[in-house]
């Protein structure tokens, strides 16, 4: 891979488990002098929460940093597959900020963290994060932690669900102005608790919408009664169309309904107290709830009225009549009259069509280029004894079990297959196969793949996921 961090290259390897390796080229190599001795000892002596476990491998005075990835998923992969909601975003960023603060207890420097989505891993939950820490000398610092966090926020926020991204635009802009971890942590806690201003974009109940519309209309110079908002609900049946309109009740009528409800409820409960029983208790509770519902509807909605939408039906009928009259010119004259006989129409068909005849007998007629087009990159597999070919159209092309929330391009309905097991991506050299952090692994031509490490595919390569075999064709 060409991307570097702290001047180190990285790759994914398998050494009795899946690891991410950071190293320098063999010519230079990473030496012990480039690492902070104190931080290395702290990492080796302690199991630091929210950090990837680090192992240091030294061969011929050249060092490699190995980070164990057991039961962990790359954040970039999870976001691309599962999507990201505002609550997931808040929990994720809150856990990252907490990890940065707790690192001071182990004498780790904040700038040693690699705050990029392909160097951050998560467990079973979005708050179960594992960060990559590089124990380099402080002279190798790239940028301060606040700047790195802001870059991570921009990188991740792009993937938030579109409907919720609009609600968070103002909040994210204010978050990028924060200059301390404590302030950022407090803002994220408010976002998780739902106390931030993002709630302003959420839909309000119907009765609150009516109140808001009425209060807004009072500010306009128009007559108040002309701007009174009555909610209208259309009810469509098989043959008719009806509208339900709610007419607000005056204050006196609302008070009368409330008083009547209280009296009725009092009578019901007095009857229950005089002759208590289980069935009478259930009846009394149900009637009381019904009375409360009646008062609620009369208070905030009003009196419902049903109206047949005859005018709307008449307009629709006239519109269709006009459309039919305009399109008559495009219809075959014989078919305009519905009474025309179909048999006579086909008997006179020679009057409306022309048969193209070839002058030369047995001459070859050119029918165009009938050469089949190449199918393109695809996977060939056997499903219940039937051959199946799946075209590789998307980039990335995902393979797995999928579920109601995660859609994959090639579905393998077999026990042990992960929701997103592997994926095929297009690169400059062709198509590459990558195991997407699956539980049971992926094999290419009989060899197990290292998780997240891309492998170049060629025509005829065999991909095996558990018992399912697929042939890559290009």
């Amino acid at each position: 891979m060409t991307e570097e961090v702290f001047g180190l290259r990285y790759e994914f390897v398998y050494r009795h488990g899946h690891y991410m390796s950071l190293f320098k080229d063999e010519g230079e190599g990473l030496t012990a002098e480039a690492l902070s001795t104190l931080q290395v000892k702290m990492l080796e002596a302690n199991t630091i929460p929210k950090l990837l476990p680090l192992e240091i491998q030294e061969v011929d005075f050249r060092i490699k940093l190995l980070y164990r990835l057991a039961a962990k998923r790359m954040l970039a992969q999870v976001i691309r597959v599962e999507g990201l909601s505002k609550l997931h975003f808040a929990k994720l960023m809150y856990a990252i900020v907490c990890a940065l603060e707790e690192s001071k207890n182990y004498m780790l420097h904040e700038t040693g963290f690699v705050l990029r989505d392909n160097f951050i891993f998560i467990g079973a939950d979005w708050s179960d994060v594992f960060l990559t820490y590089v124990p380099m000398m402080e002279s190798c610092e790239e940028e301060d932690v606040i700047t790195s966090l802001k870059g991570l926020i921009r990188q991740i926020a792009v993937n938030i669900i579109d409907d919720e991204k609009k609600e968070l635009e103002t909040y994210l802009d204010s978050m990028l102005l924060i200059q301390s971890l404590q302030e950022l942590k407090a803002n994220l806690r408010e976002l998780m608790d739902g106390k931030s201003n993002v709630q302003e974009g959420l839909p309000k109940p119907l009765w609150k919408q009516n109140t808001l519309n009425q209060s807004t209309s009072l500010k306009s110079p128009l007559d108040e009664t002309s701007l009174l908002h009555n909610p209208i609900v259309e009810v469509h049946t098989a043959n008719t169309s009806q509208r339900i309109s709610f007419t607000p009740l005056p204050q006196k009528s609302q008070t009368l309904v409330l008083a009547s409800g209280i009296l009725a409820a009092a009578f019901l409960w007095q009857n229950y107290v005089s002759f208590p029983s289980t069935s009478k208790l259930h009846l009394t509770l149900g009637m009381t709830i019904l009375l409360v519902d009646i008062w609620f509807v009369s208070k905030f909605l009003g009196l419902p009225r049903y109206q047949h939408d005859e005018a709307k039906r008449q307009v629709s009928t006239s519109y269709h009549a006009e459309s039919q009259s305009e399109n008559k010119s495009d219809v075959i004259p014989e078919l305009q009259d519905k009474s025309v006989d179909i048999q006579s129409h086909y008997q006179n068909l020679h009057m409306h069509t022309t048969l193209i005849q070839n002058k030369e007998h047995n001459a070859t007629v050119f029918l165009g280029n009938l050469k089949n087009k190449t199918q393109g990159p695809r996977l060939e597999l056997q499903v219940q004894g039937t051959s199946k070919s799946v075209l590789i159209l998307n980039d990335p092309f995902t393979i797995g079990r999928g579920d109601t929330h995660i859609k994959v391009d090639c579905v393998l309905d077999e026990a042990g297959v992960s929701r997103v097991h592997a994926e095929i991506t297009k690169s400059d050299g062709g198509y590459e196969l990558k195991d997407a952090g699956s539980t049971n692994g992926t094999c290419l031509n009989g060899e197990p793949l290292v998780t997240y490490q891309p492998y170049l595919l060629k025509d005829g390569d065999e991909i095996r996921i558990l018992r399912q075999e697929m042939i890559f064709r290009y």
Side-chain angles (χ1 to χ4, degrees), residues 53 68 415:
R68 187 154 46 91

Side-chain angles (χ1 to χ4, degrees), residues 134-148:
V134 184
M136 303 291 287
M137 296 294 292
E138 294 185 7
S139 58
C140 297
E141 297 176 5
E142 292 186 341
E143 58 186 7
D144 64 275
V145 67
I146 296 296
T147 304
S148 299

Side-chain angles (χ1 to χ4, degrees), residues 101-320:
E101 286 190 332
E102 294 172 5
S103 65
K104 300 176 182 178
N105 300 330
Y106 299 91
M107 304 179 69
L108 302 180
H109 202 274
E110 294 173 344
T111 56
F113 290 93
V114 185
L115 299 179
R116 303 178 192 173
D117 60 357
N118 54 340
F119 285 90
I120 300 174
F121 294 78
I122 65 175
D125 188 70
W126 287 91
S127 58
D128 187 20
V129 301
F130 298 90
L131 305 182
T132 302
Y133 185 83
V134 184
M136 303 291 287
M137 296 294 292
E138 294 185 7
S139 58
C140 297
E141 297 176 5
E142 292 186 341
E143 58 186 7
D144 64 275
V145 67
I146 296 296
T147 304
S148 299
L149 269 176
K150 291 179 180 179
L152 179 63
I153 290 173
R154 295 189 189 95
Q155 185 182 30
I156 295 179
V158 176
N159 302 280
I160 297 177
I161 302 173
D162 293 337
D163 296 339
E164 298 185 353
K165 187 189 299 183
K166 296 178 181 179
E167 301 174 9
L168 287 175
E169 287 181 353
T170 304
Y171 183 81
L172 292 173
D173 291 340
S174 62
M175 188 182 295
L176 295 176
L177 301 177
I178 295 175
Q179 298 297 327
S180 67
L181 292 178
Q182 293 76 13
E183 188 178 355
L184 181 59
K185 185 177 178 180
N187 277 264
L188 291 169
R189 189 185 298 112
E190 291 180 357
L191 181 58
M192 286 191 296
D193 295 338
K195 297 179 181 179
S196 62
N197 55 3
V198 298
Q199 289 184 334
E200 296 178 359
L202 298 178
K204 296 181 175 59
L206 181 61
W207 63 272
K208 286 190 175 181
Q209 292 180 6
N210 299 339
T211 305
L212 178 61
N213 292 337
Q214 291 177 10
S215 61
T216 306
S217 63
L218 296 179
K219 300 179 182 180
S220 65
L222 300 177
D223 184 17
E224 176 182 351
T225 57
S226 64
L227 294 179
L228 185 61
H229 178 71
N230 295 332
I232 297 176
V233 181
E234 289 192 5
V235 180
H236 296 277
T237 61
N239 300 320
T240 62
S241 177
Q242 295 180 344
R243 292 189 304 172
I244 303 176
S245 62
F246 291 91
T247 303
L249 294 177
Q251 185 66 32
K252 182 181 294 186
S253 299
Q254 295 179 11
T255 305
L256 181 60
V257 172
L258 178 61
S260 302
I262 294 175
L263 290 175
F267 173 77
L268 291 171
W269 284 103
Q270 182 181 6
N271 187 28
Y272 166 72
V273 172
S274 301
F275 306 98
S277 66
T278 303
S279 59
K280 188 170 293 186
L281 175 61
H282 294 166
L283 177 62
T284 304
L285 285 173
M287 293 299 296
T288 303
I289 294 174
L290 178 60
L291 291 172
V292 172
D293 291 339
I294 293 175
W295 175 82
F296 184 91
V297 172
S298 63
K299 172 68 176 178
F300 296 105
L301 292 180
L303 183 66
R305 291 187 306 172
Y306 293 83
Q307 296 179 348
H308 289 278
D309 197 359
E310 297 293 343
K312 182 177 181 180
R313 206 175 343 175
Q314 293 175 1
V315 173
S316 177
T317 304
S318 62
Y319 171 77
H320 286 294

